[in-house]
Amino acid sequence: MSTTDGGDAVIGDPRKTFLGHPRGLVILFFTEMWERFSYYGMRTLLTLYLVQHFLFSPSEATGIYAAYGALVYLMPVIGGLIADKYLGQRKAVMIGAVLLVLGHFTMAFEGQGGRDQIIIGDATYQVEVEGRDTDRRQFVVVDGERVEITIAPEGISTVGAEPAAANAADAGAAAVAESLDAPVAAVENPATAASPVAAGGFPAFVAAGDYTVETTRDTAFGEPVLFLALSLIIVGVGFLKANISTVVGSLYDQNDPRRDSGFTLFYVGINLGAVLATGLCSYLGFTYGWAYGFGLAGFGMLLGLVTFILGQSWLEGRGGPPNPEKLAGTKVLGIPLEAVFWIGGLVAVFPTWILMQRHELISAVLPWMAGLIFATVVGYTVVKLKGAERTRMLVAQVLIFFSVLFWALFEQAGSSLTLFADQSTEMPGWFNAGYTQMFNPGIIVVFGPIIAALWIWLAKRNMEPSTPVKFSFGLVLVGAGFLVLSFAAANAFNVDYRVPLIFLFLTYFFHTMGELCLSPVGLSMITKLSVDRVVGMMMGVWFMSSSVAHIAAGVIAQATTTDTVGGVVTDRALALETYGSIFGSIGWTGVGVGVLLLVASPLLKKGMAGVR
């Protein structure tokens, strides 16, 4: 091991560096970039895919997303323990990457999805939807003809008849009035207008109480494969998420001054992958089909796996098993221990698959389980610890508690804010709802270094806010973001009950500024305030709190939802009003709790016993 002139140890041969860092950082940077590419690419499309393709109600779709997010944040606790005790981080990352590749490619198998049928008396009509963007058109199929309809609170109105493909040319010649309410004199060719009685054999108007909608889904193939894909991803993330960051840390000696810079570069890789994924996967998914977007996410993860395999030598053995001889020499029922964990990873997919199909169970049980564990940790702190150790641990637990609210609001991005973008936001012609997921990582790439430099500048002048104050800023900012949308929903909508895109961008801007205040200091806070002998347990509690936050986020998102048919909202006015009401409530809650934490921050800072 060589050293710098100042005596700080530098890992590895200094000739084997890249931009002054251990060259293994390059491998981990690109592995994580492509892993995040796959994760965020899939996440960008998931809720809309559930609503539009499988025709889950928005309420059920946000519940599935919440359960998925909860397990994604819970599994790394188990994966980290396995790596620490048996496998080491590199081998755990390899298992996780393989499972993720399988999961993301499995997402590309769409199956038949869902089918909505409109039932009027004894007649049943198949509903078809054209497009995936905010300008989707709805049709019913009548004797080989597609009849365009609109569904409103008053009922179903016929826009015009479009024959099947064989008669498409004739259909193009039949122009219809822009509105059924327009007078006959205003119609260019009244003979081709929608009949007041019927159009293409379908009634021109059906009152709301005179029809029902029945949804059937591909439960034989499509749905089971969907949940299998999500389960593979969940278990894969469990093996990979925490462990790849640990490998980054292992590249540097404890006193290596390059450590923080290395993690900053790694963080850039995460967000660079997210920006690329949300843009490219959204483009393919909306333009060519869901399978193309999910397939690209799969190729991204495959590139990450190949990068990690080919770059093993550059890691110089870092992140290896804690006891290589024991791992190599131990067998279970004649099977080598390492192979047992490969098999175990695949086996773990099955109970996860069962749980994801019963996502209500996750939402019901996890908060109680987490509450019991959290109460146990608090009890341990009060009974077993004394003095400064106890007060620091209690401060950490208070901040973890407040972080649950932050993440419950912040994680609306993948559920209610995605649906808001689709249902209630006015999009430019080239833009789609998926692109809005680019806002958060894009803002981080631009403003992350600025905020980091700001903290350093303030620290040099003894003006840097304490950790509790930063947490309070995060809560106020995430609440303020929702107040922006609440204002827009009440005051800035157009005739289609959509608000300008700039308001959604401002919401993401405030949320991302809040994330930069809270997220980077969260894990650091755990390591600084936790007692050494229980730091692993506290890290598990931190991840578990994020898991519970996703369940809470699901409850909030479900409260924002309204009815859809064929994945299209049926009452735009009600949808916007509901979003505005819920966003206003949670916005003021975030701001209020943030102010409360700010008021309490001097007491919490005192309890940190000199730790910032």
Side-chain angles (χ1 to χ4, degrees), residues 161-175 192:
E162 179 185 351
N167 300 318
D170 294 336
T192 63

Side-chain angles (χ1 to χ4, degrees), residues 176-509:
V176 297
E178 292 184 358
S179 170
L180 291 176
D181 297 328
V184 173
V187 181
E188 186 173 347
N189 184 359
T192 63
S195 165
V197 178
F202 186 83
F205 179 77
V206 185
D210 295 338
Y211 73 93
T212 58
V213 177
E214 183 178 280
T215 302
T216 58
R217 288 193 289 271
D218 183 8
T219 56
F221 176 78
E223 272 194 48
V225 169
L226 165 70
F227 289 118
L228 174 63
L230 294 177
S231 301
L232 284 163
I233 293 170
I234 289 166
V235 179
V237 171
F239 276 100
L240 187 143
K241 184 176 177 62
N243 290 315
I244 195 168
S245 297
T246 304
V247 180
V248 174
S250 72
L251 294 175
Y252 301 92
D253 184 79
Q254 187 65 36
N255 298 317
D256 192 328
R258 303 171 298 170
R259 174 186 288 266
D260 287 349
S261 175
F263 270 100
T264 299
L265 291 173
F266 185 68
Y267 195 59
V268 169
I270 291 174
N271 289 284
L272 180 60
V275 172
L276 292 173
T278 49
L280 294 174
C281 292
S282 290
Y283 172 75
L284 289 179
F286 278 83
T287 306
Y288 297 104
W290 304 112
Y292 292 94
F294 290 128
L296 181 62
F299 277 110
M301 190 61 244
L302 182 60
L303 283 173
L305 174 59
V306 171
T307 300
F308 191 73
I309 291 173
L310 296 180
Q312 288 292 294
S313 63
W314 282 27
L315 297 177
E316 301 176 347
R318 301 299 187 269
N323 193 332
E325 295 79 11
K326 183 177 180 181
L327 179 64
T330 303
K331 293 186 177 182
V332 178
L333 299 176
I335 303 173
L337 185 58
E338 183 176 345
V340 168
F341 286 110
W342 278 93
I343 296 169
L346 291 172
V347 170
V349 170
F350 179 73
T352 308
W353 179 69
I354 297 296
L355 281 174
M356 282 303 301
Q357 293 178 85
R358 294 161 177 78
H359 58 89
E360 302 89 348
L361 184 62
I362 300 173
S363 300
V365 172
L366 183 58
W368 288 101
M369 181 182 74
L372 180 62
I373 294 172
F374 191 78
T376 301
V377 173
V378 172
Y380 171 86
T381 302
V382 172
V383 174
K384 296 292 185 179
L385 302 179
K386 304 294 182 183
E389 285 188 342
R390 178 164 62 187
T391 56
R392 284 199 299 267
M393 284 278 287
L394 288 174
V395 169
Q397 290 153 23
V398 169
L399 293 178
I400 288 173
F401 181 80
F402 279 101
S403 76
V404 172
L405 175 61
F406 174 85
W407 292 117
L409 301 187
F410 182 86
E411 287 298 336
Q412 297 302 307
S415 53
S416 68
L417 288 180
T418 296
L419 293 175
F420 182 86
D422 177 59
Q423 298 171 355
S424 301
T425 304
E426 186 179 1
M427 299 289 177
W430 56 274
F431 213 78
N432 64 53
Y435 287 154
T436 61
Q437 295 293 302
M438 296 175 66
F439 293 156
N440 171 249
I443 293 168
I444 286 177
V445 170
V446 175
F447 286 92
I450 297 173
I451 297 297
L454 175 63
W455 297 145
I456 294 173
W457 186 85
L458 291 172
K460 289 179 179 178
R461 291 158 178 78
N462 293 319
M463 296 169 59
E464 183 184 8
S466 65
T467 297
V469 171
K470 290 178 181 178
F471 268 57
S472 71
F473 289 169
L475 282 163
V476 169
L477 287 166
V478 77
F482 283 110
L483 293 181
V484 168
L485 283 188
S486 180
F487 169 83
N491 300 282
F493 55 88
N494 63 12
V495 295
D496 293 323
Y497 298 97
R498 295 181 181 275
V499 304
L501 181 61
I502 184 62
F503 288 100
L504 188 56
F505 173 81
L506 289 173
T507 294
Y508 276 108
F509 180 81

Side-chain angles (χ1 to χ4, degrees), residues 38 115 137 174 193 236 265 277 375 524 533:
S38 67
R115 294 289 183 271
R137 299 167 65 192
L265 291 173
S524 176
R533 59 185 177 275

Side-chain angles (χ1 to χ4, degrees), residues 14-228:
R15 292 172 296 181
K16 297 179 180 179
T17 61
F18 183 80
L19 297 178
H21 287 272
R23 62 179 185 169
L25 183 65
V26 177
I27 301 303
L28 299 176
F29 176 96
F30 284 108
T31 300
E32 180 68 354
M33 185 190 80
W34 287 118
E35 187 276 326
R36 291 291 88 182
F37 181 98
S38 67
Y39 176 81
Y40 281 101
M42 189 277 290
R43 175 184 181 267
T44 297
L45 301 175
L46 180 57
T47 300
L48 294 175
Y49 177 62
L50 294 173
V51 172
Q52 292 188 28
H53 181 68
F54 282 97
L55 302 187
F56 286 106
S57 69
S59 178
E60 192 168 6
T62 53
I64 293 169
Y65 177 82
Y68 165 76
L71 291 180
V72 159
Y73 274 87
L74 190 62
M75 286 294 185
V77 179
I78 301 172
L81 290 173
I82 291 173
D84 288 344
K85 191 170 180 62
Y86 301 105
L87 282 177
Q89 285 73 36
R90 279 189 293 113
K91 293 181 182 295
V93 167
M94 189 74 74
I95 295 173
V98 170
L99 290 171
L100 282 166
V101 169
L102 293 174
H104 284 294
F105 278 125
T106 303
M107 285 293 298
F109 292 94
E110 297 180 353
Q112 295 299 312
R115 294 289 183 271
D116 270 345
Q117 294 178 319
I118 292 175
I119 302 172
I120 305 172
D122 295 330
T124 299
Y125 304 92
Q126 183 73 46
V127 178
E128 293 183 357
V129 177
E130 186 177 282
R132 300 173 190 84
D133 213 340
T134 55
D135 57 352
R136 297 190 295 279
R137 299 167 65 192
Q138 293 170 294
F139 301 85
V140 289
V141 180
V142 186
D143 296 330
E145 293 185 342
R146 296 174 72 204
V147 179
E148 187 171 358
I149 61 171
T150 59
I151 302 178
E154 297 77 20
I156 303 174
S157 300
T158 302
V159 174
E162 179 185 351
N167 300 318
D170 294 336
V176 297
E178 292 184 358
S179 170
L180 291 176
D181 297 328
V184 173
V187 181
E188 186 173 347
N189 184 359
T192 63
S195 165
V197 178
F202 186 83
F205 179 77
V206 185
D210 295 338
Y211 73 93
T212 58
V213 177
E214 183 178 280
T215 302
T216 58
R217 288 193 289 271
D218 183 8
T219 56
F221 176 78
E223 272 194 48
V225 169
L226 165 70
F227 289 118
L228 174 63

